Amino acid sequence: MQDVKISNSLERAVLVGVTHKNQNELETLDYLDELELLAKTAGAFVVKKYIQKKYFLSPSTFIGKGKINEIKEFIVANKINLVVFDDELSASQFRNIEKEFKCKVLDRSNLILDIFALRAKTSYAKVQVELAQYAYLLPRLTRMWTHLSKQQGGIGTKGPGEKEIETDRRIIRKKISVLKQKLQKIDNQRKVQRKSRKNLLKISLVGYTNSGKSTLMNLLTKSSLLAEDKLFATLDTTVRRLYFNNKNMLISDTVGFIRKLPHQLIESFKSTLDDILDADILLHVVDLSNYNFEKHIDVVNKTLLDIGASKKKIILVFNKIDKKNIMENLKLAELKKTWMNKGENKSVFISAYKKINIDKLKKIIFN
Ligand code: GDP
Ligand code: MG
């Protein structure tokens, strides 16, 4: 299995989340778990997670002075070299917090952009990620001139930032427009490609990151795409031919969705998401073993709505039913009853890994 080497040595990280009027403690804990997975994917070792309950967020340091001091002590005592905030920080918040912590500070968007940058394999994905990075960078340019981490390297520093410290907004805007033109060119080629496939039935795999899309794609097409227990293992849409019931069709694996995805990324990945718009049937793959699976379904549905794909024929594919915790805690039979009667979408319960109920899934697809 292919593995992406993300960092030379594990960075020791502290994560910070806040509860506020729109996000209770349980939700924050949940976000922090996900942030930990992101940090691990980027190559960090999470030493501690902090939550601050705060109704009014500080415009200068985001969290309160007391919390800042508490974390500062921990950083020194535990040789921490990275602090990741679950929420987007402004340029001045970054600056002030870095001044206090004297170590690298990132937010969730930084982390996601960094992982995307590492995972982008094709020139198409690379252009899209670069575009998103510049769009993220633009309002934060002032930060770059004083940014400690640029000299230190590692997570969060693979963006264009390091090369652009001396550059100004004008140059970045120019780069953005060049990248957009590049993207447009590739888009046009893809449009032509898509047209040539007009008469084939097209199926697209969508779903939260790590739900098992690539595993299912591999199973259905007997191919070997990268499937990993890491977030965003797949960045490019992969299209494969599928022959079933005397019919030729196309199936595509897509990039996964996640909460608090930087909007610059969604913007620049719009064209990748166009493959979803082009599909006749969407297989919405859900990791049933994740206790937040219902929230994940909501995020995916909302994203589908955003890109205008919510009216398509969608099949809910509940995956990973082989996992022990499902049998023990969730009562599969109950779940089936509720979900199979819910809404107009058909659903099926499978294990892509243990190849359970794959025939059922195929039947639903072709009926
Ligand atoms: P993607 O991000 O949606 O493409 O997810 P992947 O296909 O890369 O799978 C993510 C992880 O879940 C990998 O470690 C897979 O081996 C694992 N996985 C996928 N399907 C199943 C399943 O049915 N059962 C179990 N136990 N693990 C699965
Ligand atoms: Mg994948």
Side-chain angles (χ1 to χ4, degrees):
M1 194 173 286
Q2 180 184 1
D3 198 14
V4 179
K5 187 129 179 77
I6 301 216
S7 172
N8 295 332
S9 57
L10 284 184
E11 292 182 44
R12 292 170 59 79
V14 160
L15 310 182
V16 185
V18 292
T19 64
H20 44 79
K21 55 181 187 303
N22 301 321
Q23 192 175 297
N24 66 36
E25 188 161 353
L26 265 180
E27 285 171 319
T28 306
L29 275 170
D30 189 31
Y31 273 119
L32 283 184
D33 283 348
E34 197 168 81
L35 192 67
E36 180 169 8
L37 196 54
L38 283 167
K40 275 189 194 159
T41 302
F45 173 72
V46 174
V47 183
K48 195 175 167 87
K49 298 178 209 168
Y50 282 94
I51 289 192
Q52 175 159 52
K53 296 188 184 93
K54 207 162 166 47
Y55 280 86
F56 299 101
L57 295 166
S58 157
S60 59
T61 53
F62 194 66
I63 50 174
K65 190 78 195 144
K67 207 45 141 197
I68 289 273
N69 287 333
E70 190 187 332
I71 298 175
K72 210 157 103 179
E73 274 170 30
F74 188 85
I75 289 173
V76 176
N78 295 279
K79 297 198 177 69
I80 300 299
N81 38 29
L82 170 66
V83 179
V84 188
F85 283 75
D86 193 50
D87 301 273
E88 274 204 6
L89 301 177
S90 71
S92 66
Q93 283 169 336
F94 269 122
R95 233 185 356 257
N96 296 331
I97 296 170
E98 275 181 349
K99 229 183 257 161
E100 293 283 350
F101 288 172
K102 298 191 175 55
C103 76
K104 181 158 60 181
V105 177
L106 301 174
D107 62 15
R108 178 186 267 246
S109 296
N110 273 154
L111 212 53
I112 294 178
L113 283 168
D114 216 50
I115 296 170
F116 267 67
L118 277 154
R119 300 264 153 166
K121 291 273 158 14
T122 62
S123 62
Y124 190 51
K126 282 182 185 151
V127 171
Q128 291 179 104
V129 173
E130 211 181 337
L131 185 59
Q133 283 175 321
Y134 278 121
Y136 175 87
L137 192 63
L138 199 53
R140 293 175 178 78
L141 263 188
T142 44
R143 176 187 172 211
M144 295 306 166
W145 285 305
T146 55
H147 199 17
L148 276 170
S149 51
K150 293 295 164 193
Q151 290 128 45
Q152 295 167 358
I155 303 170
T157 60
K158 279 150 212 103
E162 64 226 293
K163 290 176 270 165
E164 309 303 337
I165 296 174
E166 70 289 342
T167 210
D168 65 5
R169 285 199 170 76
R170 216 166 16 119
I171 294 173
I172 301 239
R173 286 215 180 89
K174 175 91 187 127
K175 291 208 167 184
I176 287 179
S177 92
V178 170
L179 284 169
K180 279 188 175 159
Q181 280 166 18
K182 256 194 202 169
L183 216 52
Q184 188 63 50
K185 232 189 202 162
I186 312 177
D187 276 349
N188 292 342
Q189 289 164 4
R190 286 165 67 105
K191 257 186 209 134
V192 176
Q193 258 176 19
R194 260 191 226 122
K195 257 195 199 137
S196 70
R197 303 171 179 152
K198 217 170 56 196
N199 299 321
L200 289 167
L201 180 73
K202 285 171 290 283
I203 302 165
S204 200
L205 290 157
V206 298
Y208 208 73
T209 183
N210 217 41
S211 60
K213 299 177 294 296
S214 299
T215 308
L216 182 58
M217 170 95 164
N218 284 339
L219 181 65
L220 291 175
T221 62
K222 300 183 179 64
S223 53
S224 53
L225 297 173
L226 173 67
E228 269 195 294
D229 204 8
K230 283 190 169 168
L231 303 184
F232 307 117
T234 319
L235 263 203
D236 295 290
T237 319
T238 322
V239 183
R240 293 264 191 288
R241 230 165 239 279
L242 181 65
Y243 187 74
F244 188 75
N245 264 7
N246 299 323
K247 271 184 234 151
N248 240 328
M249 54 205 82
L250 292 174
I251 181 161
S252 60
D253 183 18
T254 62
V255 60
F257 302 157
I258 195 168
R259 289 172 291 183
K260 296 189 186 173
L261 197 63
H263 64 91
Q264 299 91 347
L265 259 184
I266 301 183
E267 274 303 307
S268 67
F269 268 79
K270 273 255 155 69
S271 2
T272 292
L273 300 175
D274 275 352
D275 284 318
I276 298 174
L277 283 178
D278 197 42
D280 304 296
I281 302 172
L282 302 182
L283 300 185
H284 177 169
V285 183
V286 180
D287 176 357
L288 196 58
S289 71
N290 190 305
Y291 71 104
N292 280 310
F293 77 92
E294 287 178 290
K295 280 187 199 151
H296 294 177
I297 292 176
D298 289 342
V299 172
V300 173
N301 284 340
K302 205 187 152 293
T303 314
L304 290 177
L305 191 71
D306 282 350
I307 62 169
S310 59
K311 290 278 185 295
K312 290 197 174 284
K313 178 176 174 186
I314 300 174
I315 299 169
L316 271 171
V317 181
F318 291 100
N319 189 29
K320 308 198 189 182
I321 60 164
D322 61 289
K323 277 202 159 176
K324 240 174 130 194
N325 66 330
I326 298 178
M327 300 308 183
E328 281 164 8
N329 307 332
L330 290 170
K331 292 201 206 102
L332 194 57
E334 295 264 311
L335 265 172
K336 280 187 184 174
K337 239 198 266 164
T338 21
W339 277 96
M340 288 175 133
N341 295 324
K342 220 177 193 175
E344 62 256 45
N345 294 331
K346 288 188 179 156
S347 54
V348 59
F349 292 74
I350 67 156
S351 164
Y353 187 63
K354 291 271 167 76
K355 305 187 173 98
I356 304 171
N357 287 346
I358 303 305
D359 284 339
K360 266 192 194 161
L361 168 65
K362 284 184 177 171
K363 243 187 216 150
I364 293 182
I365 296 175
F366 302 112
N367 271 337

